[in-house]
Amino acid sequence: MSAAAPAPAPLVVVMGVSGSGKTTIGTLVAHELQVEFIDGDSLHPIANVEKMASGTPLDDDDRAPWLEIVGRTLHDHGERGDGLVVACSALKGMYRDQIRSQAPAALFLHLSGSLEVLTRRIEGRSGHFMPAALLQSQIDTLEPLAGDEDGYVLDINQPVAEMVREAVVHLRELVTARS
């Protein structure tokens, strides 16, 4: 009797509002899953970088090519069998749909927390300032994962090690359920 083939390497988008820990948790989850981690902000087209540098916020039209790049990057890693974890806020369902149009196998790890927990985290960052109104705006924009979006909602009000353990267990379960 032959052993079952190993589950494919996961393609994961770590999503959530500012201060939720996308980079920290994404990096650690990628390490545990033995896949590469990419901060989605590094994938922005030059036009977006210039617009943000000028102090102008991005709109949905600006985000579309970026989200396509995020999705294509996930897809390319999946095609090679590498797996990948990308940090990307992906606050709206339409953003996640854009990513999934390129990478249908993408899983979403939604880092979720209360305004109080998020504010405390942001205030604890050195050299980083985000007004509470902007954080509330992101929370208001956030659309929960829909029934057709494979993912897991992770409560961020726990120690980092527990968050990573819980995330890895649930992501592996999702990958196994698909294979």
Side-chain angles (χ1 to χ4, degrees), residues 61-82:
D61 289 337
D62 297 321
R63 286 185 186 92
W66 170 59
L67 294 165
E68 183 176 330
I69 293 167
V70 170
R72 258 197 342 260
T73 302
L74 284 158
H75 171 81
D76 292 348
H77 278 261
E79 284 291 302
R80 291 192 304 265
D82 297 344

Side-chain angles (χ1 to χ4, degrees), residues 96-107:
R96 298 187 297 271
D97 289 345
Q98 288 176 285
I99 292 169
R100 291 188 307 154
S101 73
Q102 300 292 318
L107 302 171

Side-chain angles (χ1 to χ4, degrees), residues 2 23 28-30 37 40 53 57 59 72 79 89 98 103 105 108 143 150 165-166 175:
S2 63
T23 300
L28 295 169
V29 165
F37 170 78
D59 60 26
R72 258 197 342 260
E79 284 291 302
S89 55
Q98 288 176 285
F108 295 93
E143 297 171 2
D150 286 342
R165 184 201 59 75
E166 183 179 331
V175 170

Side-chain angles (χ1 to χ4, degrees), residues 12-177:
V12 180
V13 176
V14 180
M15 59 170 281
V17 299
S18 290
S20 61
K22 293 182 296 292
T23 300
T24 299
I25 299 304
T27 301
L28 295 169
V29 165
H31 177 76
E32 289 297 313
L33 294 172
Q34 298 180 320
V35 300
E36 183 181 352
F37 170 78
I38 295 176
D39 187 326
D41 285 345
S42 70
L43 300 175
H44 272 289
I46 297 296
N48 285 6
V49 174
E50 291 171 349
K51 189 170 185 177
M52 290 184 290
S54 75
T56 305
L58 300 179
D59 60 26
D60 289 347
D61 289 337
D62 297 321
R63 286 185 186 92
W66 170 59
L67 294 165
E68 183 176 330
I69 293 167
V70 170
R72 258 197 342 260
T73 302
L74 284 158
H75 171 81
D76 292 348
H77 278 261
E79 284 291 302
R80 291 192 304 265
D82 297 344
L84 179 66
V85 174
V86 176
C88 174
S89 55
L91 298 179
K92 294 183 180 180
M94 67 182 266
Y95 300 163
R96 298 187 297 271
D97 289 345
Q98 288 176 285
I99 292 169
R100 291 188 307 154
S101 73
Q102 300 292 318
L107 302 171
F108 295 93
L109 177 62
H110 173 193
L111 305 183
S112 179
S114 68
L115 178 61
E116 176 186 348
V117 169
L118 291 161
T119 300
R120 189 170 60 239
R121 284 174 170 239
I122 287 173
E123 288 172 350
R125 288 180 174 179
S126 60
H128 190 278
F129 173 75
M130 167 168 266
L134 184 53
L135 178 57
Q136 185 62 56
S137 167
Q138 286 193 354
I139 290 170
D140 293 345
T141 299
L142 177 66
E143 297 171 2
L145 292 174
D148 67 337
E149 295 176 295
D150 286 342
Y152 182 73
V153 179
L154 181 66
D155 180 3
I156 64 167
N157 193 21
Q158 57 183 319
V160 169
E162 283 302 307
M163 290 173 57
V164 171
R165 184 201 59 75
E166 183 179 331
V168 168
V169 164
H170 288 280
L171 290 168
R172 285 184 173 146
E173 286 174 358
L174 287 167
V175 170
T176 301

